[in-house]
Amino acid sequence: MKQSIQESAQQIELRNGHLDWLEAESIYIIRELVAECEHPALLFSGGKDSVVLLALARKAFAIEGRDLQLPFPLVHIDTGHNYPEVIAFRDATVKKFNARLVVGSVEESIQKGTVVLHKKNDSRNGAQAITLLETIEKYGFDALMGGARRDEEKARAKERIFSFRDEFGQWDPKNQRPELWSLYNSRLHAGENMRVFPISNWTELDIWQYIAREKLALPPIYFSHQREVVQRQGLLVPVTPLTPKYDDEIPQKLSVRFRTVGDISCTCPVASLARTPEDIIRETAVVEMSERSATRLDDKVSASAMEQRKKQGYF
C-alpha cells in the first residue's frame, strides 16, 4: 500500500504539462488587469503564492534584451508579527528585482487607534483588513493582485477572479460579477476597488510543481527544520514570545515545515522531513487536509471565520 502511494505521487509529479496552461491563463489575467486599471499593485508577503505570482508578473512584462521594470508596485500589509525569515526574504527579493515596495503597517494603525486589539498579543491577522483599506486609500490603488487560490478554503472558492469591493472596501459574495468566456468586468465607480486573483485556479500541488520547474527561491521555513512546538487544538503551535506554551503543555523539538506563512500568532507548521520542492510535491500529492485547515489557528474559531474577515475587507 505504501509503495502504491509513492508511485502515485511520482506519477502526479511528472504530469505537469497543465502548468503551461495555468501559466498562460494567469499571465493573460495580469496583463488584462494592467490594461484596464489605472493604479494596480501586487500583494507580496514573501510567501510561496506571492512568489509564484511575482514570477508570473515578471514573465508577463519581460522583453528580451531589456531590463524589466514592473508597471506596478508591490504591497505588503505587515502585521509586525511576521516570521523574521520571511521579512528578510521579502526585502532581498525586492532588492534583487529592483521593485518598489509599499508597506502598510498594522502597528501604525494600532498607534493611530484605527485598529484596537483586545489584548496586546492578540492575532493581528484579521486586523490587516483595516490597514489594507488605509493603504489603498493613501496610495490610490484601484486594484490589487493577490495570491489567493480557490482550493485554500471554502470562502476563497466563492471568489471571482476579478473580485469586486464596494466603496467601504467590503466583499459581498452575493454581489459579484459574472465571468463568462474569460471576459472580466473591471469597471469601477469612485471609491470602489477590485481584488484580482490570477492564480485562483491553481492548487497547492500546482504551486509546488511550478516552484520546482521554475527553480523559484523561497524563505527557508517552507522546508524541514527543527523547531520547538506544542500540541494545541490538533495543530503544532510554535513556542515563541507571541505563542508561549501553557503551563500544562510539554514542548518538544520536531522536524517541521510551514505550508503557509503569516502572523506568528496564528500560523502553525506541520511535521515534515521534506527538504526540497520535489520532496514537498510527493507529500502534497497524498495529503488530505487543505493548508489553511492544517496550519491556521484563526480559522478554527468558526466555520465561517474566513468569510467574515473577507466581508470586512480582508484579502
Side-chain angles (χ1 to χ4, degrees), residues 73-113:
L74 309 183
V75 174
H76 182 212
I77 305 303
D78 185 356
T79 65
H81 287 173
N82 296 287
Y83 288 95
E85 301 96 322
V86 180
I87 294 299
F89 176 84
R90 179 202 70 183
D91 294 341
T93 301
V94 169
K95 183 178 180 179
K96 176 182 177 181
F97 294 132
N98 192 29
R100 178 190 169 205
L101 176 66
V102 171
V103 178
S105 169
V106 174
E107 180 62 37
E108 290 183 7
S109 297
I110 293 172
Q111 297 302 320
K112 288 190 299 184

mmCIF file of all heavy atoms in Angstrom, residues 73-113:
data_model
loop_
_atom_site.group_PDB
_atom_site.id
_atom_site.type_symbol
_atom_site.label_atom_id
_atom_site.label_comp_id
_atom_site.label_asym_id
_atom_site.label_seq_id
_atom_site.Cartn_x
_atom_site.Cartn_y
_atom_site.Cartn_z
ATOM 1 N N PRO A 73 3.678 48.726 -8.216
ATOM 2 C CA PRO A 73 4.468 48.438 -7.012
ATOM 3 C C PRO A 73 4.033 47.134 -6.360
ATOM 4 O O PRO A 73 2.973 46.569 -6.667
ATOM 5 C CB PRO A 73 4.156 49.624 -6.100
ATOM 6 C CG PRO A 73 2.763 50.003 -6.480
ATOM 7 C CD PRO A 73 2.639 49.748 -7.962
ATOM 8 N N LEU A 74 4.863 46.650 -5.445
ATOM 9 C CA LEU A 74 4.499 45.540 -4.572
ATOM 10 C C LEU A 74 3.985 46.121 -3.266
ATOM 11 O O LEU A 74 4.478 47.145 -2.790
ATOM 12 C CB LEU A 74 5.706 44.638 -4.303
ATOM 13 C CG LEU A 74 6.494 44.143 -5.517
ATOM 14 C CD1 LEU A 74 7.609 43.201 -5.068
ATOM 15 C CD2 LEU A 74 5.598 43.480 -6.533
ATOM 16 N N VAL A 75 3.000 45.477 -2.676
ATOM 17 C CA VAL A 75 2.404 45.946 -1.420
ATOM 18 C C VAL A 75 2.423 44.820 -0.398
ATOM 19 O O VAL A 75 2.035 43.685 -0.708
ATOM 20 C CB VAL A 75 0.945 46.417 -1.632
ATOM 21 C CG1 VAL A 75 0.292 46.768 -0.291
ATOM 22 C CG2 VAL A 75 0.900 47.626 -2.563
ATOM 23 N N HIS A 76 2.898 45.122 0.805
ATOM 24 C CA HIS A 76 2.838 44.148 1.900
ATOM 25 C C HIS A 76 2.154 44.792 3.093
ATOM 26 O O HIS A 76 2.546 45.875 3.532
ATOM 27 C CB HIS A 76 4.240 43.690 2.308
ATOM 28 C CG HIS A 76 4.212 42.647 3.390
ATOM 29 N ND1 HIS A 76 5.195 42.530 4.350
ATOM 30 C CD2 HIS A 76 3.301 41.672 3.673
ATOM 31 C CE1 HIS A 76 4.901 41.532 5.166
ATOM 32 N NE2 HIS A 76 3.748 41.003 4.787
ATOM 33 N N ILE A 77 1.126 44.134 3.597
ATOM 34 C CA ILE A 77 0.471 44.577 4.828
ATOM 35 C C ILE A 77 1.141 43.837 5.971
ATOM 36 O O ILE A 77 0.924 42.641 6.179
ATOM 37 C CB ILE A 77 -1.043 44.315 4.793
ATOM 38 C CG1 ILE A 77 -1.662 44.959 3.542
ATOM 39 C CG2 ILE A 77 -1.692 44.864 6.062
ATOM 40 C CD1 ILE A 77 -1.414 46.460 3.423
ATOM 41 N N ASP A 78 1.982 44.539 6.689
ATOM 42 C CA ASP A 78 2.876 43.961 7.697
ATOM 43 C C ASP A 78 2.210 44.003 9.066
ATOM 44 O O ASP A 78 1.929 45.074 9.601
ATOM 45 C CB ASP A 78 4.181 44.755 7.710
ATOM 46 C CG ASP A 78 5.236 44.158 8.639
ATOM 47 O OD1 ASP A 78 4.936 43.168 9.326
ATOM 48 O OD2 ASP A 78 6.356 44.696 8.666
ATOM 49 N N THR A 79 1.952 42.819 9.628
ATOM 50 C CA THR A 79 1.318 42.769 10.958
ATOM 51 C C THR A 79 2.287 43.140 12.064
ATOM 52 O O THR A 79 1.870 43.452 13.182
ATOM 53 C CB THR A 79 0.778 41.350 11.246
ATOM 54 O OG1 THR A 79 1.883 40.440 11.322
ATOM 55 C CG2 THR A 79 -0.195 40.905 10.171
ATOM 56 N N GLY A 80 3.590 43.084 11.786
ATOM 57 C CA GLY A 80 4.579 43.274 12.837
ATOM 58 C C GLY A 80 4.853 42.001 13.611
ATOM 59 O O GLY A 80 5.716 41.965 14.489
ATOM 60 N N HIS A 81 4.112 40.943 13.282
ATOM 61 C CA HIS A 81 4.260 39.647 13.941
ATOM 62 C C HIS A 81 4.627 38.584 12.911
ATOM 63 O O HIS A 81 4.151 37.447 12.977
ATOM 64 C CB HIS A 81 2.969 39.239 14.652
ATOM 65 C CG HIS A 81 2.705 40.021 15.899
ATOM 66 N ND1 HIS A 81 1.531 39.910 16.621
ATOM 67 C CD2 HIS A 81 3.453 40.932 16.566
ATOM 68 C CE1 HIS A 81 1.573 40.707 17.671
ATOM 69 N NE2 HIS A 81 2.731 41.342 17.655
ATOM 70 N N ASN A 82 5.471 38.935 11.956
ATOM 71 C CA ASN A 82 5.864 38.002 10.912
ATOM 72 C C ASN A 82 7.108 37.215 11.312
ATOM 73 O O ASN A 82 7.925 37.686 12.112
ATOM 74 C CB ASN A 82 6.151 38.754 9.609
ATOM 75 C CG ASN A 82 4.918 39.443 9.070
ATOM 76 O OD1 ASN A 82 4.011 38.816 8.554
ATOM 77 N ND2 ASN A 82 4.883 40.769 9.207
ATOM 78 N N TYR A 83 7.263 36.049 10.736
ATOM 79 C CA TYR A 83 8.499 35.298 10.931
ATOM 80 C C TYR A 83 9.648 36.070 10.291
ATOM 81 O O TYR A 83 9.547 36.501 9.136
ATOM 82 C CB TYR A 83 8.381 33.899 10.324
ATOM 83 C CG TYR A 83 7.462 32.994 11.117
ATOM 84 C CD1 TYR A 83 6.124 32.849 10.758
ATOM 85 C CD2 TYR A 83 7.924 32.314 12.234
ATOM 86 C CE1 TYR A 83 5.269 32.036 11.498
ATOM 87 C CE2 TYR A 83 7.082 31.498 12.977
ATOM 88 C CZ TYR A 83 5.762 31.366 12.601
ATOM 89 O OH TYR A 83 4.904 30.570 13.347
ATOM 90 N N PRO A 84 10.741 36.300 11.034
ATOM 91 C CA PRO A 84 11.827 37.144 10.511
ATOM 92 C C PRO A 84 12.437 36.608 9.225
ATOM 93 O O PRO A 84 12.887 37.389 8.379
ATOM 94 C CB PRO A 84 12.852 37.150 11.662
ATOM 95 C CG PRO A 84 12.475 36.024 12.563
ATOM 96 C CD PRO A 84 11.003 35.847 12.416
ATOM 97 N N GLU A 85 12.443 35.284 9.044
ATOM 98 C CA GLU A 85 12.991 34.718 7.808
ATOM 99 C C GLU A 85 12.199 35.180 6.588
ATOM 100 O O GLU A 85 12.765 35.365 5.502
ATOM 101 C CB GLU A 85 12.965 33.179 7.859
ATOM 102 C CG GLU A 85 13.748 32.576 9.017
ATOM 103 C CD GLU A 85 12.862 32.250 10.206
ATOM 104 O OE1 GLU A 85 11.932 33.034 10.500
ATOM 105 O OE2 GLU A 85 13.104 31.209 10.845
ATOM 106 N N VAL A 86 10.892 35.369 6.775
ATOM 107 C CA VAL A 86 10.046 35.761 5.648
ATOM 108 C C VAL A 86 10.262 37.235 5.298
ATOM 109 O O VAL A 86 10.330 37.611 4.128
ATOM 110 C CB VAL A 86 8.565 35.481 5.968
ATOM 111 C CG1 VAL A 86 7.675 35.878 4.794
ATOM 112 C CG2 VAL A 86 8.366 34.005 6.301
ATOM 113 N N ILE A 87 10.383 38.090 6.318
ATOM 114 C CA ILE A 87 10.631 39.508 6.068
ATOM 115 C C ILE A 87 11.994 39.706 5.406
ATOM 116 O O ILE A 87 12.147 40.517 4.474
ATOM 117 C CB ILE A 87 10.549 40.311 7.379
ATOM 118 C CG1 ILE A 87 9.116 40.274 7.927
ATOM 119 C CG2 ILE A 87 10.988 41.761 7.155
ATOM 120 C CD1 ILE A 87 8.066 40.866 7.015
ATOM 121 N N ALA A 88 12.996 38.962 5.861
ATOM 122 C CA ALA A 88 14.327 39.054 5.244
ATOM 123 C C ALA A 88 14.269 38.635 3.780
ATOM 124 O O ALA A 88 14.884 39.268 2.909
ATOM 125 C CB ALA A 88 15.323 38.184 6.010
ATOM 126 N N PHE A 89 13.507 37.584 3.501
ATOM 127 C CA PHE A 89 13.357 37.124 2.115
ATOM 128 C C PHE A 89 12.616 38.167 1.283
ATOM 129 O O PHE A 89 12.990 38.440 0.131
ATOM 130 C CB PHE A 89 12.607 35.797 2.084
ATOM 131 C CG PHE A 89 12.320 35.301 0.698
ATOM 132 C CD1 PHE A 89 13.273 34.579 0.000
ATOM 133 C CD2 PHE A 89 11.108 35.569 0.087
ATOM 134 C CE1 PHE A 89 13.017 34.133 -1.294
ATOM 135 C CE2 PHE A 89 10.838 35.129 -1.196
ATOM 136 C CZ PHE A 89 11.796 34.399 -1.887
ATOM 137 N N ARG A 90 11.558 38.751 1.852
ATOM 138 C CA ARG A 90 10.802 39.797 1.145
ATOM 139 C C ARG A 90 11.717 40.934 0.715
ATOM 140 O O ARG A 90 11.712 41.359 -0.454
ATOM 141 C CB ARG A 90 9.701 40.347 2.058
ATOM 142 C CG ARG A 90 8.856 41.460 1.455
ATOM 143 C CD ARG A 90 8.184 42.300 2.544
ATOM 144 N NE ARG A 90 9.159 43.112 3.275
ATOM 145 C CZ ARG A 90 8.851 43.886 4.316
ATOM 146 N NH1 ARG A 90 7.602 43.930 4.758
ATOM 147 N NH2 ARG A 90 9.787 44.597 4.910
ATOM 148 N N ASP A 91 12.513 41.433 1.649
ATOM 149 C CA ASP A 91 13.384 42.572 1.361
ATOM 150 C C ASP A 91 14.464 42.217 0.346
ATOM 151 O O ASP A 91 14.800 43.019 -0.536
ATOM 152 C CB ASP A 91 14.016 43.091 2.652
ATOM 153 C CG ASP A 91 12.983 43.691 3.598
ATOM 154 O OD1 ASP A 91 11.878 44.027 3.123
ATOM 155 O OD2 ASP A 91 13.281 43.820 4.796
ATOM 156 N N ALA A 92 15.005 40.996 0.445
ATOM 157 C CA ALA A 92 16.033 40.567 -0.505
ATOM 158 C C ALA A 92 15.451 40.443 -1.909
ATOM 159 O O ALA A 92 16.109 40.794 -2.906
ATOM 160 C CB ALA A 92 16.636 39.236 -0.060
ATOM 161 N N THR A 93 14.217 39.960 -2.009
ATOM 162 C CA THR A 93 13.574 39.810 -3.315
ATOM 163 C C THR A 93 13.294 41.160 -3.955
ATOM 164 O O THR A 93 13.521 41.367 -5.151
ATOM 165 C CB THR A 93 12.259 39.019 -3.167
ATOM 166 O OG1 THR A 93 12.543 37.734 -2.600
ATOM 167 C CG2 THR A 93 11.577 38.842 -4.505
ATOM 168 N N VAL A 94 12.798 42.100 -3.158
ATOM 169 C CA VAL A 94 12.531 43.455 -3.659
ATOM 170 C C VAL A 94 13.812 44.088 -4.189
ATOM 171 O O VAL A 94 13.834 44.699 -5.266
ATOM 172 C CB VAL A 94 11.909 44.330 -2.548
ATOM 173 C CG1 VAL A 94 11.880 45.798 -2.951
ATOM 174 C CG2 VAL A 94 10.501 43.839 -2.216
ATOM 175 N N LYS A 95 14.900 43.920 -3.449
ATOM 176 C CA LYS A 95 16.188 44.472 -3.868
ATOM 177 C C LYS A 95 16.696 43.786 -5.130
ATOM 178 O O LYS A 95 17.184 44.443 -6.067
ATOM 179 C CB LYS A 95 17.206 44.324 -2.741
ATOM 180 C CG LYS A 95 18.569 44.929 -3.058
ATOM 181 C CD LYS A 95 19.516 44.788 -1.865
ATOM 182 C CE LYS A 95 20.887 45.394 -2.185
ATOM 183 N NZ LYS A 95 21.816 45.277 -1.032
ATOM 184 N N LYS A 96 16.569 42.465 -5.197
ATOM 185 C CA LYS A 96 17.052 41.692 -6.343
ATOM 186 C C LYS A 96 16.381 42.130 -7.632
ATOM 187 O O LYS A 96 17.036 42.246 -8.686
ATOM 188 C CB LYS A 96 16.796 40.204 -6.094
ATOM 189 C CG LYS A 96 17.172 39.297 -7.248
ATOM 190 C CD LYS A 96 16.844 37.850 -6.918
ATOM 191 C CE LYS A 96 17.150 36.930 -8.094
ATOM 192 N NZ LYS A 96 16.801 35.510 -7.768
ATOM 193 N N PHE A 97 15.079 42.382 -7.586
ATOM 194 C CA PHE A 97 14.334 42.715 -8.793
ATOM 195 C C PHE A 97 14.123 44.217 -8.975
ATOM 196 O O PHE A 97 13.398 44.640 -9.876
ATOM 197 C CB PHE A 97 12.984 41.998 -8.793
ATOM 198 C CG PHE A 97 13.102 40.497 -8.881
ATOM 199 C CD1 PHE A 97 12.390 39.677 -8.025
ATOM 200 C CD2 PHE A 97 13.939 39.907 -9.811
ATOM 201 C CE1 PHE A 97 12.499 38.290 -8.095
ATOM 202 C CE2 PHE A 97 14.060 38.530 -9.898
ATOM 203 C CZ PHE A 97 13.337 37.720 -9.038
ATOM 204 N N ASN A 98 14.757 45.012 -8.100
ATOM 205 C CA ASN A 98 14.649 46.470 -8.194
ATOM 206 C C ASN A 98 13.191 46.911 -8.261
ATOM 207 O O ASN A 98 12.801 47.754 -9.080
ATOM 208 C CB ASN A 98 15.411 46.977 -9.425
ATOM 209 C CG ASN A 98 15.588 48.494 -9.410
ATOM 210 O OD1 ASN A 98 15.658 49.116 -8.344
ATOM 211 N ND2 ASN A 98 15.633 49.095 -10.586
ATOM 212 N N ALA A 99 12.386 46.316 -7.392
ATOM 213 C CA ALA A 99 10.954 46.630 -7.365
ATOM 214 C C ALA A 99 10.676 47.726 -6.342
ATOM 215 O O ALA A 99 11.477 47.981 -5.438
ATOM 216 C CB ALA A 99 10.148 45.388 -7.022
ATOM 217 N N ARG A 100 9.537 48.362 -6.476
ATOM 218 C CA ARG A 100 9.085 49.344 -5.492
ATOM 219 C C ARG A 100 8.194 48.629 -4.482
ATOM 220 O O ARG A 100 7.268 47.909 -4.865
ATOM 221 C CB ARG A 100 8.301 50.459 -6.179
ATOM 222 C CG ARG A 100 7.737 51.504 -5.215
ATOM 223 C CD ARG A 100 6.777 52.443 -5.922
ATOM 224 N NE ARG A 100 6.036 53.273 -4.976
ATOM 225 C CZ ARG A 100 4.847 53.815 -5.223
ATOM 226 N NH1 ARG A 100 4.275 53.633 -6.401
ATOM 227 N NH2 ARG A 100 4.241 54.544 -4.308
ATOM 228 N N LEU A 101 8.477 48.810 -3.204
ATOM 229 C CA LEU A 101 7.697 48.157 -2.153
ATOM 230 C C LEU A 101 6.966 49.190 -1.313
ATOM 231 O O LEU A 101 7.571 50.135 -0.811
ATOM 232 C CB LEU A 101 8.611 47.315 -1.254
ATOM 233 C CG LEU A 101 7.930 46.637 -0.050
ATOM 234 C CD1 LEU A 101 6.940 45.572 -0.514
ATOM 235 C CD2 LEU A 101 8.975 46.016 0.882
ATOM 236 N N VAL A 102 5.675 48.994 -1.157
ATOM 237 C CA VAL A 102 4.845 49.805 -0.270
ATOM 238 C C VAL A 102 4.444 48.927 0.906
ATOM 239 O O VAL A 102 3.899 47.830 0.712
ATOM 240 C CB VAL A 102 3.584 50.317 -1.001
ATOM 241 C CG1 VAL A 102 2.624 50.974 -0.003
ATOM 242 C CG2 VAL A 102 3.961 51.294 -2.100
ATOM 243 N N VAL A 103 4.738 49.367 2.118
ATOM 244 C CA VAL A 103 4.415 48.593 3.315
ATOM 245 C C VAL A 103 3.337 49.310 4.114
ATOM 246 O O VAL A 103 3.503 50.472 4.502
ATOM 247 C CB VAL A 103 5.665 48.372 4.197
ATOM 248 C CG1 VAL A 103 5.287 47.613 5.466
ATOM 249 C CG2 VAL A 103 6.738 47.610 3.421
ATOM 250 N N GLY A 104 2.234 48.621 4.341
ATOM 251 C CA GLY A 104 1.204 49.101 5.250
ATOM 252 C C GLY A 104 1.406 48.443 6.599
ATOM 253 O O GLY A 104 1.490 47.214 6.682
ATOM 254 N N SER A 105 1.506 49.218 7.664
ATOM 255 C CA SER A 105 1.863 48.688 8.979
ATOM 256 C C SER A 105 0.656 48.610 9.909
ATOM 257 O O SER A 105 0.023 49.637 10.214
ATOM 258 C CB SER A 105 2.942 49.581 9.610
ATOM 259 O OG SER A 105 3.136 49.255 10.962
ATOM 260 N N VAL A 106 0.353 47.395 10.371
ATOM 261 C CA VAL A 106 -0.710 47.229 11.360
ATOM 262 C C VAL A 106 -0.335 47.938 12.656
ATOM 263 O O VAL A 106 -1.195 48.516 13.333
ATOM 264 C CB VAL A 106 -0.999 45.738 11.606
ATOM 265 C CG1 VAL A 106 -1.995 45.566 12.750
ATOM 266 C CG2 VAL A 106 -1.534 45.070 10.349
ATOM 267 N N GLU A 107 0.958 47.931 12.989
ATOM 268 C CA GLU A 107 1.415 48.608 14.199
ATOM 269 C C GLU A 107 1.086 50.100 14.132
ATOM 270 O O GLU A 107 0.650 50.699 15.127
ATOM 271 C CB GLU A 107 2.920 48.404 14.380
ATOM 272 C CG GLU A 107 3.503 49.068 15.622
ATOM 273 C CD GLU A 107 2.937 48.542 16.913
ATOM 274 O OE1 GLU A 107 2.673 47.328 17.007
ATOM 275 O OE2 GLU A 107 2.754 49.353 17.856
ATOM 276 N N GLU A 108 1.276 50.719 12.962
ATOM 277 C CA GLU A 108 0.935 52.138 12.810
ATOM 278 C C GLU A 108 -0.573 52.353 12.957
ATOM 279 O O GLU A 108 -1.005 53.365 13.522
ATOM 280 C CB GLU A 108 1.418 52.648 11.457
ATOM 281 C CG GLU A 108 2.933 52.768 11.343
ATOM 282 C CD GLU A 108 3.382 53.355 10.018
ATOM 283 O OE1 GLU A 108 2.499 53.792 9.225
ATOM 284 O OE2 GLU A 108 4.594 53.374 9.759
ATOM 285 N N SER A 109 -1.365 51.410 12.449
ATOM 286 C CA SER A 109 -2.819 51.522 12.617
ATOM 287 C C SER A 109 -3.212 51.427 14.079
ATOM 288 O O SER A 109 -4.135 52.114 14.538
ATOM 289 C CB SER A 109 -3.528 50.423 11.808
ATOM 290 O OG SER A 109 -3.280 50.559 10.428
ATOM 291 N N ILE A 110 -2.500 50.586 14.830
ATOM 292 C CA ILE A 110 -2.759 50.478 16.272
ATOM 293 C C ILE A 110 -2.418 51.793 16.964
ATOM 294 O O ILE A 110 -3.174 52.289 17.811
ATOM 295 C CB ILE A 110 -1.939 49.311 16.877
ATOM 296 C CG1 ILE A 110 -2.445 47.976 16.338
ATOM 297 C CG2 ILE A 110 -2.009 49.329 18.402
ATOM 298 C CD1 ILE A 110 -1.582 46.790 16.724
ATOM 299 N N GLN A 111 -1.266 52.380 16.595
ATOM 300 C CA GLN A 111 -0.843 53.643 17.200
ATOM 301 C C GLN A 111 -1.833 54.767 16.893
ATOM 302 O O GLN A 111 -2.071 55.644 17.728
ATOM 303 C CB GLN A 111 0.557 54.019 16.712
ATOM 304 C CG GLN A 111 1.657 53.040 17.105
ATOM 305 C CD GLN A 111 1.767 52.852 18.608
ATOM 306 O OE1 GLN A 111 1.656 53.800 19.382
ATOM 307 N NE2 GLN A 111 1.966 51.604 19.028
ATOM 308 N N LYS A 112 -2.425 54.733 15.695
ATOM 309 C CA LYS A 112 -3.401 55.759 15.309
ATOM 310 C C LYS A 112 -4.748 55.542 15.976
ATOM 311 O O LYS A 112 -5.594 56.455 16.013
ATOM 312 C CB LYS A 112 -3.605 55.761 13.787
ATOM 313 C CG LYS A 112 -2.451 56.305 12.990
ATOM 314 C CD LYS A 112 -2.825 56.498 11.523
ATOM 315 C CE LYS A 112 -3.213 55.206 10.862
ATOM 316 N NZ LYS A 112 -3.479 55.374 9.414
ATOM 317 N N GLY A 113 -4.997 54.309 16.424
ATOM 318 C CA GLY A 113 -6.277 53.997 17.048
ATOM 319 C C GLY A 113 -7.312 53.434 16.101
ATOM 320 O O GLY A 113 -8.449 53.161 16.501
#
